[in-house]
Amino acid sequence: MPICTLIAADSLESGNFSEARDRLAEAGCIPNAFDWLAKGKAVDISFAGDLADARTALAGLEDRFDIALQHEGNRRKMLLVSDMDSTMITVECIDELADYAGIKPQIAAITERAMAGELDFAHALKARVALLAGLDENVLAQCLRERVQPMPGAEILVRTMTGWGAHAVLVSGGFTSFTGPVADMLGFHAVHANALEIKDGRLTGALAADIVDASTKRAVLQSAAEMRGIDLATTLAVGDGANDLPMIAAAVSGGGLGVGYHPRPQLAQAANFSVRHNDLTALLFAQGIKPHAWAD
């Protein structure tokens, strides 16, 4: 049976709940039982009807709530594949490195256009890395220490999912200097990212290996699922930018959950769940997990 999960940024009042049920009913998606996942915060509403019709009917509420629509089966996912920058952490690491080099506005403008899908990701990455040539390698550790913070809800999400046996993979168009420590901090099992080339203690302005790009992210999701015998319907992929679109689309087409976290418009079109008002614990509510079952 289809389920609508309504998640409020602040409080979910009875009037909001009634409005959602009325909208579903008017679209021919007859509401049935409901279950509070967190009183006044998140609720599941089961209904009889078509997911697409329900999505259209509830679109007018998305400016106030995060809304997940899915079938009841396979809600608890066994594979988590996530982007890092602006998804699991609060910053874009390359922009912060650029700040130490005194060229943040120049690089951040390219980053934003790449994340919006306006530039080829690989070309844009090479161009930005080239601008960092000569930067002292010690700045990498300094940036990690001073700038990199987990996104609210990130560790709770990852450790709750791995606690029930899910496999967690961090796949980033960013750099191994950050992904390894972030993965350890949050509880990911595996990491895929780009390696910065360093010689004589300074960045050369090049990458040391093949680029991890949008196609790599999709391949990582598909191979991780295949290697572990995980049905794509039990996968959750999450990211924020255009380079996450192929892996998000792969999760969605396989029947899983493809999440846009504060997504750029292009990614939001591909996702079947967008989080705009809440932190990453919204992904646990979407899986039907109540707060008492979250990892400490």
Side-chain angles (χ1 to χ4, degrees):
M1 177 171 288
I3 287 181
C4 162
T5 305
L6 196 66
I7 311 163
D10 297 311
S11 62
L12 181 60
E13 300 175 356
S14 58
N16 307 133
F17 177 58
S18 297
E19 183 180 0
R21 289 172 60 88
D22 290 346
R23 285 172 176 261
L24 288 169
E26 289 169 4
C29 301
I30 308 305
N32 294 311
F34 70 92
D35 178 30
W36 283 106
L37 299 172
K39 190 71 173 180
K41 176 67 177 179
V43 66
D44 275 346
I45 307 170
S46 63
F47 63 92
D50 184 73
L51 285 178
D53 291 341
R55 194 177 304 279
T56 300
L58 296 174
L61 299 180
E62 290 183 338
D63 61 338
R64 290 174 281 162
F65 306 98
D66 294 323
I67 304 170
L69 289 157
Q70 59 193 312
H71 290 287
E72 185 175 11
N74 298 319
R75 284 183 77 187
R76 184 172 292 199
K77 305 306 182 188
M78 297 306 298
L79 175 62
L80 169 66
V81 180
S82 178
D83 175 45
M84 182 180 71
D85 294 41
S86 297
T87 302
M88 285 291 147
I89 61 174
T90 60
V91 297
E92 294 284 337
C93 289
I94 194 166
D95 293 354
E96 300 309 310
L97 289 176
D99 197 20
Y100 288 100
I103 53 172
K104 184 172 182 176
Q106 183 178 353
I107 283 187
I110 301 173
T111 299
E112 182 55 36
R113 292 186 65 195
M115 292 302 98
E118 298 174 6
L119 299 174
D120 174 76
F121 179 80
H123 178 77
L125 178 62
K126 288 179 180 178
R128 286 174 290 164
V129 170
L131 292 172
L132 296 176
L135 190 65
D136 191 313
E137 69 171 328
N138 292 321
V139 170
L140 298 172
Q142 183 181 359
C143 183
L144 177 66
R145 183 175 63 254
E146 296 178 350
R147 306 288 180 91
V148 175
Q149 297 293 326
M151 192 69 74
E155 186 172 4
I156 294 173
L157 169 66
V158 177
R159 295 197 184 278
T160 300
M161 291 187 65
T162 57
W164 69 58
H167 185 64
V169 183
L170 189 65
V171 55
S172 173
F175 310 119
T176 54
S177 303
F178 302 101
T179 53
V182 168
D184 290 342
M185 178 197 315
L186 301 180
F188 282 90
H189 296 114
V191 172
H192 300 266
N194 294 298
L196 291 166
E197 184 179 74
I198 299 171
K199 291 183 179 179
D200 300 323
R202 295 190 178 276
L203 275 62
T204 67
L207 295 169
D210 293 339
I211 291 179
V212 173
D213 59 8
S215 62
T216 308
K217 291 187 173 190
R218 178 183 58 211
V220 165
L221 182 141
Q222 293 171 330
S223 64
E226 183 177 350
M227 288 177 63
R228 294 182 170 272
I230 296 171
D231 192 305
L232 285 178
T234 62
T235 64
L236 189 164
V238 57
D240 70 299
N243 66 319
D244 300 308
L245 197 155
M247 76 171 181
I248 297 293
V252 171
S253 65
L257 198 60
V259 182
Y261 187 70
H262 298 278
R264 272 70 169 188
Q266 191 177 91
L267 182 64
Q269 292 297 315
N272 56 8
F273 176 39
S274 288
V275 178
R276 298 184 177 91
H277 307 290
N278 290 275
D279 65 25
L280 285 166
T281 58
L283 278 62
L284 292 173
F285 283 132
Q287 295 179 79
I289 312 302
K290 298 180 179 182
H292 68 81
W294 296 357
D296 295 332

